[in-house]
Amino acid sequence: MKIKATILNGLQLAGLGAFDPVVRLLSGENPSAQLPKIGQFILMPIGGFALFLAVWTIAASSIQTRYGSIPNPKAVWVAGSQLLAAHQKTTADRQQFYVDRDKQAKEYVEKAATLRTAAADPKNAALKDRLDEAAVKNDGLAASTMKRKYAGSPSYLDQIRTSLLTVFTGFVLASAIAIPVGILCGLSPVFMACVNPFIQIFKPVSPLAWLPIVMIVVGALYTTDPSEAWFEKSFISSAITVALCSLWPTLTNTALGVASIDKDYINVARVLQLSPSSRVFKIILPASLPLMFTGLRISLGVGWMVLIAAEMLAQNPGLGKFVWDMFQNGSSETLAQIMVAVFTIGGIGFLLDRIMIVCQRMVSFDSAVSA
Amino acid sequence: MNPAAIDRYLELWRITKTYQGAAGPVSVVKDFNLTVKQGEFISLIGHSGCGKSTVLSMVAGLSEPSKGGLVLAGREITGPGPDRGVVFQSPSLLPWLTALQNVTLGIRQVKPTASRKEIDEIGAHYLTLVGLGDALHTRPPELSQGMRQRVGLARAFALNPKMLLLDEPFGMLDSLTRMELQQILIDLWLEDQKTALMVTHDVDEALLLSDRVVMMTNGPEARVGEILEVPFARPRDRFALIEDPQFEALRDQLVGFLEDHAVGHAAERVAQQRSEKTDSESGLPTVTPAELVTVEDA
């Protein structure tokens, strides 16, 4: 029984309450009550999706574009598996490339070592300078070989990984700015009055307007040699654009959360004469966490949507660039591949949102979640 | 401390609280005078909205009087502080902290040099006193309303304050839980007889707990109407008290005062309360007006 309760709690926490009746049914709890719920929360959504696929299949064959007919669900499925197969091939190629590279570099290193041993031999005293020179040359070759990077185009899963990394970087950047500023706004009406005009004006700005500015500024400031840089310029531009657009929901929600703390908690802090730091960390932050997480969740959603547009324009490797490239290719598989991308984007967006919901429930003090 | 300081431990001198209303300034409380001895338990009673809680929150330092002054143990009250333990009507516990953490949060402020272990021990001691020794690490959302208010009591007492301020501490509880908590409050209070000021609208509660009951006139411009001495010896037994004819007399006097100052539906409520009382205790000896002891405030 305890296991069942744990599973049910877990489902509830993960926002998978729909599967609640299945667990209850499997444990033999009142089947007649569970079946209608299963029908409503599981069979109905499945039915709805099936209906959607049917309509899509019928509609697809009747619309003709310059790339052929609209792909039906099966074609999209095939395109998806092709992308996966291509990923496996790319991965294998890349591994092979690095194995070969390392092998070659090792040969250079070994050769350099042999040359040095020879140079150290008194018998070769006459040739010492030339041998040393050759050894140094081989050292150089080994170093430049190790710097070589795989130049093949990234696979679909690589693009997804880049997109996730970009959105995560932008999101962390935005949160690092928005949470402290939001807390200050909530604490001080004066500070809020100062910042409010900026929030109101910049909040509705589209990512497409930010992007060129960000690209130019990043281009001017980020002048590290590309072969040594940790990040590509396009990656930084996209991440900053995501940050600029996903800043606002966190900021406004944090400010609201801090400003609307239960007056009782503030009175407790006043009666106990808590120091400013323990007031913030013991009372204000925990009390505003639920609203803060609401903001973070919206921010991550906005960030994910902005990212696709930013990647298209910034030509940052990622799902957005993938969609754009497919569009430019104009092959017969274009539409199917773009649709795979659409479903991927939707699926990942859904997953990110779920993760944030779980985080939100974990930090919410009012729900009866025990650690 | 000299005897005068003990007699005048808490002094409220002509305090007035004025708010800026839509139709000009409104004084909720005006020229409110009260002197409390050290170790005395005072109840403030009056109709809803008469400014009882306003007076209490000024003593707590959570709001400032517009005029007049407050002195506690020879020092003027200028703001809130842990020398006054406050029990709020809603327990106001921090739901993200355990019961123990809620209590120790304040102890750390009054004993900054104590070790974590000592602080935890003090907190656990008071939680055990209020009957929550088993629930030290439980968070408030998992506690019942009554248990939360117990934590609230423990939090106030654990500060070892100069004074206790209780703002309708049991107003949100059902009557059984209320009786339990009144007993806990008395037991805790008897341990070290802290000076206490309690706001209540429950006549029986006031008589059971206090040394004096301060009846407030209706607001706006509320002030002290009458002060009633409660002469019963301590420890008091709730059930023996109810049987005491003098209790009945004091009770009638309190209810009579409230009735005289009743407005609108409040009057009906008091009348109803009174009739219920008469019905339920019809077997008890009735009190004639001649037996009433009135204590006039100078």
Side-chain angles (χ1 to χ4, degrees), chain A residues 137-158:
Chain A
K137 199 178 163 196
N138 272 295
D139 282 343
L141 280 172
S144 64
T145 307
M146 284 308 284
K147 266 190 193 163
R148 255 189 253 156
K149 280 177 183 160
Y150 181 68
S153 63
S155 76
Y156 188 59
L157 292 192
D158 293 334

Side-chain angles (χ1 to χ4, degrees), chain A residues 80-101:
Chain A
S81 23
Q82 278 170 354
L83 285 171
L84 273 184
H87 164 73
Q88 273 152 3
K89 189 171 175 298
T90 311
T91 313
D93 283 356
R94 185 195 289 123
Q95 270 170 358
Q96 193 54 47
F97 170 82
Y98 284 113
V99 168
D100 289 350
R101 184 192 77 173

Side-chain angles (χ1 to χ4, degrees), chain B:
Chain B
M1 201 178 283
N2 63 51
I6 291 172
D7 276 353
R8 312 175 83 81
Y9 193 64
L10 171 72
E11 261 195 289
L12 282 66
W13 187 74
R14 297 191 64 177
I15 54 174
T16 301
K17 182 74 185 177
T18 312
Y19 289 106
Q20 211 58 45
V26 181
S27 294
V28 186
V29 179
K30 194 172 184 191
D31 290 334
F32 188 97
N33 289 309
L34 184 67
T35 305
V36 180
K37 284 190 228 128
Q38 188 167 21
E40 219 180 357
F41 198 120
I42 302 281
S43 288
L44 272 181
I45 202 164
H47 287 290
S48 311
C50 78
K52 310 183 289 276
S53 295
T54 310
V55 172
L56 191 98
S57 80
M58 283 189 281
V59 180
L62 291 172
S63 77
E64 273 180 34
S66 314
K67 272 186 210 160
L70 301 94
V71 177
L72 172 65
R75 285 193 165 187
E76 189 177 1
I77 294 173
T78 50
D83 60 337
R84 279 147 286 153
V86 185
V87 181
F88 300 96
Q89 180 173 18
S90 72
S92 307
L93 302 179
L94 306 175
W96 49 88
L97 298 181
T98 64
L100 184 63
Q101 287 167 334
N102 264 291
V103 175
T104 52
L105 187 66
I107 305 175
R108 191 157 292 128
Q109 297 302 310
V110 292
K111 287 186 192 293
T113 56
S115 72
R116 195 192 157 83
K117 191 165 168 275
E118 286 173 288
I119 289 173
D120 281 354
E121 273 168 11
I122 299 172
H125 170 72
Y126 279 96
L127 281 170
T128 312
L129 283 185
V130 298
L132 287 180
D134 301 336
L136 297 183
H137 305 293
T138 313
R139 282 172 216 277
E142 291 159 49
L143 296 172
S144 70
Q145 190 73 17
M147 285 161 108
R148 286 181 211 169
Q149 196 53 287
R150 287 173 197 234
V151 180
L153 284 175
R155 176 171 64 185
F157 275 92
L159 294 172
N160 191 21
K162 286 180 186 157
M163 206 175 163
L164 278 172
L165 301 169
L166 306 117
D167 188 1
E168 295 192 27
F170 312 129
M172 286 163 81
L173 304 177
D174 62 88
S175 52
L176 275 177
T177 316
R178 184 184 303 190
M179 271 157 63
E180 262 176 61
L181 281 177
Q182 284 165 350
Q183 197 55 48
I184 287 172
L185 173 59
I186 295 181
D187 293 344
L188 279 171
W189 183 79
L190 281 175
E191 293 233 326
D192 43 9
Q193 301 232 344
K194 295 275 174 224
T195 313
L197 183 63
M198 177 175 78
V199 164
T200 181
H201 53 237
D202 182 333
V203 173
D204 295 323
E205 181 172 279
L207 287 175
L208 177 68
L209 298 173
S210 356
D211 296 313
R212 284 192 292 159
V213 182
V214 175
M215 292 172 262
M216 283 178 71
T217 63
N218 284 348
E221 305 200 351
R223 53 187 170 74
V224 176
E226 285 174 41
I227 296 185
L228 189 73
E229 296 270 355
V230 185
F232 306 115
R234 291 182 192 267
R236 295 172 183 168
D237 177 75
R238 177 192 308 274
F239 301 102
L241 217 58
I242 292 173
E243 310 253 329
D244 193 325
Q246 202 183 353
F247 177 84
E248 192 68 5
L250 292 171
R251 194 180 190 285
D252 280 351
Q253 193 183 343
L254 271 179
V255 173
F257 176 89
L258 291 176
E259 209 166 46
D260 291 345
H261 289 81
V263 271
H265 76 278
E268 290 160 33
R269 200 177 52 206
V270 174
Q272 194 189 356
Q273 198 180 13
R274 204 175 203 190
S275 69
E276 278 168 11
K277 183 77 186 168
T278 337
D279 292 346
S280 62
E281 287 167 20
S282 49
L284 291 175
T286 48
V287 187
T288 61
E291 287 176 79
L292 288 175
V293 186
T294 318
V295 182
E296 290 291 338
D297 182 42

Side-chain angles (χ1 to χ4, degrees), chain A residues 13-345:
Chain A
L13 184 69
L16 297 172
F19 295 100
D20 194 281
V22 177
V23 176
R24 288 182 196 275
L25 185 70
L26 289 177
S27 73
E29 182 184 315
N30 197 8
S32 59
Q34 308 310 331
L35 287 174
K37 282 191 206 158
I38 293 181
Q40 186 184 348
F41 296 115
I42 298 177
L43 295 183
M44 282 302 170
I46 292 176
F49 196 70
L51 194 69
F52 164 72
L53 289 182
V55 172
W56 175 10
T57 313
I58 295 163
S61 55
S62 62
I63 301 175
Q64 288 297 321
T65 69
R66 59 186 157 129
Y67 303 126
S69 63
I70 295 262
N72 59 25
K74 196 176 163 223
V76 172
W77 181 262
V78 170
S81 23
Q82 278 170 354
L83 285 171
L84 273 184
H87 164 73
Q88 273 152 3
K89 189 171 175 298
T90 311
T91 313
D93 283 356
R94 185 195 289 123
Q95 270 170 358
Q96 193 54 47
F97 170 82
Y98 284 113
V99 168
D100 289 350
R101 184 192 77 173
D102 291 353
K103 204 168 134 202
Q104 196 171 12
K106 207 175 157 205
E107 277 167 18
Y108 285 128
V109 171
E110 277 164 6
K111 206 169 172 195
T114 325
L115 286 165
R116 287 219 165 81
T117 330
D121 194 333
K123 276 189 281 178
N124 297 330
L127 290 168
K128 190 172 186 303
D129 286 351
R130 284 181 61 192
L131 284 169
D132 279 340
E133 203 181 310
V136 170
K137 199 178 163 196
N138 272 295
D139 282 343
L141 280 172
S144 64
T145 307
M146 284 308 284
K147 266 190 193 163
R148 255 189 253 156
K149 280 177 183 160
Y150 181 68
S153 63
S155 76
Y156 188 59
L157 292 192
D158 293 334
Q159 312 260 38
I160 296 178
R161 192 179 309 133
T162 315
S163 284
L164 282 173
L165 190 66
T166 316
V167 83
F168 185 70
T169 311
F171 176 66
V172 168
L173 204 63
S175 309
I177 299 168
I179 293 176
V181 175
I183 291 175
L184 281 176
C185 282
L187 285 179
S188 153
V190 176
F191 187 78
M192 181 69 176
C194 292
V195 178
N196 202 29
F198 297 98
I199 300 178
Q200 299 305 331
I201 290 175
F202 290 135
K203 197 166 64 169
V205 174
S206 154
L208 307 182
W210 283 120
L211 192 67
I213 303 175
V214 173
M215 282 167 76
I216 290 167
V217 172
V218 167
L221 296 181
Y222 193 68
T223 48
T224 321
D225 177 15
S227 65
E228 287 175 6
W230 287 8
F231 308 110
E232 288 176 49
K233 271 182 191 172
S234 57
F235 171 81
I236 292 178
S237 309
S238 310
I240 292 179
T241 308
V242 167
L244 279 173
C245 295
S246 63
L247 201 64
W248 315 109
T250 305
L251 206 166
T252 46
N253 274 284
T254 305
L256 179 67
V258 171
S260 60
I261 290 180
D262 197 332
K263 200 139 187 346
D264 288 347
Y265 301 155
I266 299 293
N267 277 342
V268 169
R270 290 181 65 198
V271 167
L272 299 178
Q273 296 267 290
L274 295 181
S275 65
S277 72
S278 50
R279 204 177 268 221
V280 168
F281 288 105
K282 293 255 160 90
I283 309 235
I284 291 167
L285 270 184
S288 47
L289 267 184
L291 259 179
M292 199 186 290
F293 263 82
T294 308
L296 286 173
R297 188 181 147 204
I298 301 171
S299 281
L300 191 56
V302 169
W304 185 242
M305 286 212 278
V306 164
L307 176 78
I308 305 303
E311 281 175 345
M312 274 191 186
L313 281 169
Q315 290 293 293
N316 180 35
L319 283 169
K321 183 170 188 293
F322 174 83
V323 170
W324 189 249
D325 287 352
M326 290 305 113
F327 176 61
Q328 297 293 338
N329 276 354
S331 77
S332 59
E333 279 164 3
T334 291
L335 277 172
Q337 283 178 331
I338 292 180
M339 281 190 190
V340 174
V342 167
F343 281 106
T344 312
I345 294 168

